[in-house]
């Protein structure tokens, strides 16, 4: 995701060393003075990464009047973690992974190559450190706190996404028919209903649903009805193609004056005096008044030379995209198969099957057994829906924090900001995260109860 075409030129004349120096000094003042002074000056914000977080950040920074440059190592936007995810925008399903209830199941899953969660122990201090932090987040108090944080940000993002869709007019195969979680045992259904009650109690409806109601909501489940005992339904959730949306949003940002430097890798960040001065790429050194790091799992290595250690570990997810064969047999409500932790989402004329979590460092190779497990499960649940002999497989690295809560806000370097660590919830939390980040860069406090960094 990080180049200039031959006929493009970058003009940084408005960012002379004197002007940049003045702006950087203002950025170090108290938040109230920053809010007073930064608006008229307008900053040059450099965003690193053109995935969901980077591109939404760029959009909202442009909206605020700032000049924006986006650096992306891929040839276009949304070609890594944002490329082929499950497609769900699921505010009602933001339960943190870290809880004592999930640990026994995770241990059992570690014995199966095709398990929904596969933790491969490595001689990697970062993995062990992440694991210990994960255990700390498993307490009941931490779980409840993290759940509230994620739901607050999810609700904020849901509104931001609706406004963004309306303003841009981008079509991304959206379906706003809710999401169904389906369960294959009474015990699993009971756990799902308990989770639904917690979400509903916090102000976002998610309902216990018997199978007769579930089949009425999604007739495509009739083909596998014998497998299920119950469901939960979240009417406010929806789905859409993240890659399609973010690629179109990046094009609209470009049309409004943002510079997207594709095929450009960041070599290092230059800081001095507690401020970030420039971003060095493989093509040039770019001065910046503010820098937003939105590089997903790769944010960690980029910031280590500055002494900033992020609690992020890459979690590999898989997907298969298959062409639709029978319109009637394809779900139009996005389905989550709880037992296998898989999502089934219709995206235009394709069916997306996505899920699983593999802790295996930065490896993005495709595991054949895990790929085939996606197809096998889809054939079981929706046998007539798609051409399962024509799959396009994909794997991407989700940037996971131990708490599942993303890192959004200012670092100890005053003009260096983060928008990363969203794990499996990037598509759900993306619009709100980008909006909140732009507000923080502008010196404001976002109108959402969330533990933003540096506030």
């Amino acid at each position: 995701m990080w180049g200039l075409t031959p006929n493009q030129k970058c003009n940084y004349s408005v960012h002379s060393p004197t002007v940049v120096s003045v702006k950087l000094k203002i950025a170090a003042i108290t938040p109230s003075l920053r809010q007073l002074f930064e608006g008229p000056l307008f900053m040059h914000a450099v965003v690193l990464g053109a995935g969901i977080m980077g591109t939404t950040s760029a959009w909202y920074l442009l909206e605020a009047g700032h000049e924006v440059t986006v650096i992306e190592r891929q040839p276009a936007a949304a070609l890594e973690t944002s490329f082929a995810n499950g497609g769900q925008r699921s505010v009602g399903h933001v339960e943190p992974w870290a809880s004592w209830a999930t640990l026994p199941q995770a241990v059992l899953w570690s014995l199966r190559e095709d398990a929904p969660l596969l933790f491969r122990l490595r001689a990697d201090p970062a993995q062990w450190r992440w694991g210990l932090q994960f255990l700390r987040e498993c307490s009941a108090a931490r779980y409840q706190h993290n759940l509230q944080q994620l739901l607050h940000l999810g609700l904020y993002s849901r509104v931001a996404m609706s406004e963004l869709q309306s303003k841009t007019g981008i079509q991304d195969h959206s379906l706003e028919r809710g999401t169904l979680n389906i369960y294959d045992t009474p015990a699993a259904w009971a756990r799902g209903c308990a989770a639904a009650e917690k979400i509903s109690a916090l102000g976002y409806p998610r309902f216990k649903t018997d199978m007769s109601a579930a089949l009425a909501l999604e007739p495509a489940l009739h083909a596998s009805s014998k497998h299920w005992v119950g469901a939960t339904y979240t009417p406010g959730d929806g789905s859409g193609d993240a890659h399609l949306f973010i690629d179109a949003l990046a094009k609209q940002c470009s049309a409004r004056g943002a510079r997207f430097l594709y095929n450009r890798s960041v070599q290092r960040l230059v800081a001095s005096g507690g401020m970030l001065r420039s971003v060095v790429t493989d093509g040039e050194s770019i001065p910046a008044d503010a820098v937003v790091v939105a590089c997903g799992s790769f944010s960690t290595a980029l910031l280590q030379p500055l002494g900033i250690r992020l609690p992020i570990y890459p979690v590999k997810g898989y997907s298969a995209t298959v062409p639709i064969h029978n319109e009637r047999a394809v779900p139009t409500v996005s389905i989550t198969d709880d037992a296998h932790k898989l999502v089934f989402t219709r995206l235009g004329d394709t069916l997306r099957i996505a899920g699983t979590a593999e802790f295996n460092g930065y490896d993005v190779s495709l595991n054949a057994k895990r790929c085939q497990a996606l197809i096998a499960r889809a054939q079981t649940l929706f046998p007539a829906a798609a051409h399962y002999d024509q799959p396009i497989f994909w794997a991407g690295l989700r940037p996971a924090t131990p708490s599942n809560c993303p890192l959004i806000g200012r670092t100890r370097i005053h003009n260096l900001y983060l928008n990363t660590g969203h794990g499996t919830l990037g598509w759900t939390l993306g619009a709100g995260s980008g909006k909140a980040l732009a507000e923080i860069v502008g010196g404001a406090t976002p109108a959402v109860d969330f533990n933003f960094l540096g506030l």
Side-chain angles (χ1 to χ4, degrees):
M1 296 167 99
W2 307 343
L4 283 176
T5 59
N7 60 349
Q8 283 181 305
K9 296 180 180 179
C10 282
N11 180 6
Y12 295 105
S13 59
V14 297
H15 302 295
S16 67
T18 301
V19 174
V20 171
S21 177
V22 169
K23 291 183 182 179
L24 292 177
K25 288 177 181 177
I26 289 173
I29 304 176
T30 61
S32 60
L33 289 178
R34 291 182 68 236
Q35 191 168 7
L36 176 64
F37 285 113
E38 281 184 353
L41 285 173
F42 300 121
M43 292 183 290
H44 176 216
V46 176
V47 180
L48 310 183
I52 294 171
M53 300 312 147
T55 306
T56 56
S57 296
W59 171 269
Y60 287 108
L61 287 164
L62 283 170
E63 287 275 280
H66 302 299
E67 183 179 355
V68 177
T69 298
V70 182
I71 303 173
E72 170 55 55
R73 67 181 183 178
Q74 297 291 347
L79 291 182
E80 293 202 22
T81 304
S82 308
F83 182 67
N85 63 19
Q88 279 190 354
R89 293 189 289 263
S90 48
V91 178
H93 302 85
V94 293
E95 303 100 300
W97 292 357
S99 76
W100 294 123
T102 65
L103 293 179
Q105 184 65 70
V107 171
L108 292 174
W109 276 337
S110 68
L111 303 176
R112 288 173 39 203
E113 189 68 22
D114 62 348
L117 187 151
L118 185 59
F119 197 98
R120 297 185 188 277
L121 286 175
R122 302 163 60 94
D124 181 358
Q127 186 191 64
W128 287 84
R129 185 165 53 246
W130 191 96
L132 291 173
Q133 292 172 324
F134 180 88
L135 291 175
R136 187 184 65 186
E137 297 294 335
C138 285
S139 71
R142 291 301 303 165
Y143 175 89
Q144 185 65 22
H145 171 79
N146 295 333
L147 176 61
Q148 290 175 330
Q149 288 281 287
L150 289 165
L151 186 60
H152 291 164
L153 185 58
L155 292 171
Y156 181 76
S157 187
R158 182 173 180 269
V159 173
M161 185 63 186
S162 178
E163 293 172 346
L164 193 55
Q165 288 175 311
S166 178
K167 184 161 189 174
T168 63
I170 295 172
Q171 302 299 312
D172 65 349
H173 301 313
S174 287
L175 290 171
E176 305 299 334
R177 298 200 59 223
T179 56
L180 272 168
N181 277 40
I182 48 178
Y183 305 92
D184 62 353
T185 68
W189 189 26
R191 289 193 297 270
C193 292
E197 290 176 3
K198 291 178 182 178
I199 295 294
S200 295
L202 292 173
Y204 190 66
R206 178 177 165 188
F207 305 112
K208 176 181 178 179
T209 306
D210 62 26
M211 281 313 298
S212 61
L215 291 170
L217 286 164
E218 183 45 78
L221 286 171
H222 277 287
S224 61
S225 59
K226 65 181 181 181
H227 293 284
W228 313 115
V229 299
T232 63
Y233 178 57
T234 314
D237 285 353
S239 60
D241 189 322
H243 170 255
L244 193 63
F245 187 89
I246 295 302
D247 182 62
L249 188 64
K251 289 180 171 66
Q252 290 201 18
C253 287
S254 293
R256 296 179 61 181
R259 291 184 295 271
F260 279 73
L261 309 185
Y262 292 119
N263 294 308
R264 189 75 65 90
S265 294
V266 174
Q267 301 299 320
R268 67 183 184 277
L269 305 178
V270 180
S272 64
M275 306 297 294
L276 200 72
R277 305 294 173 172
S278 63
V279 178
V280 179
T281 74
D282 46 15
E284 63 184 304
S285 178
I286 301 173
D289 303 324
V291 174
V292 179
V293 176
C295 303
S297 299
F298 299 92
S299 303
T300 304
L302 183 63
L303 294 177
Q304 279 181 344
L306 299 178
I308 298 174
R309 178 179 287 178
L310 303 183
I312 289 175
Y313 197 78
V315 180
K316 182 162 62 173
Y318 288 77
S319 75
T321 305
V322 289
I324 288 173
H325 170 64
N326 182 346
E327 296 273 343
R328 290 187 171 184
V330 180
T332 57
V333 176
S334 187
I335 305 294
T336 298
D337 172 4
D338 180 77
H340 292 74
K341 306 303 180 188
L342 293 180
V343 167
F344 301 85
T345 303
R346 177 171 184 165
L347 299 172
D349 58 0
T350 66
L351 175 66
R352 174 74 48 81
I353 310 128
T356 80
E358 184 177 329
F359 291 77
N360 193 24
Y362 287 83
D363 171 43
V364 292
S365 62
L366 292 169
N367 180 313
K369 286 187 178 180
R370 297 177 75 75
C371 288
Q372 291 305 318
L374 301 179
I375 298 299
R377 190 59 176 171
Q379 287 177 314
T380 297
L381 304 191
F382 308 105
H387 295 284
Y388 294 114
D389 59 342
Q390 301 175 37
I392 298 175
F393 293 115
W394 169 88
L397 301 177
R398 308 169 181 129
T401 65
S403 66
N404 282 137
C405 293
L407 307 174
I408 306 169
R410 186 188 294 113
T411 70
R412 59 179 177 78
I413 297 176
H414 286 285
N415 61 334
L416 177 62
Y417 302 84
L418 301 178
N419 193 1
T420 188
H422 293 71
T424 60
L425 296 172
W427 192 211
T428 298
L429 304 178
S433 297
K435 182 178 181 180
L437 189 281
E439 291 172 332
I440 293 169
V441 171
T445 300
V448 54
D449 181 7
F450 185 82
N451 287 341
F452 294 105
L453 304 173
L455 296 185

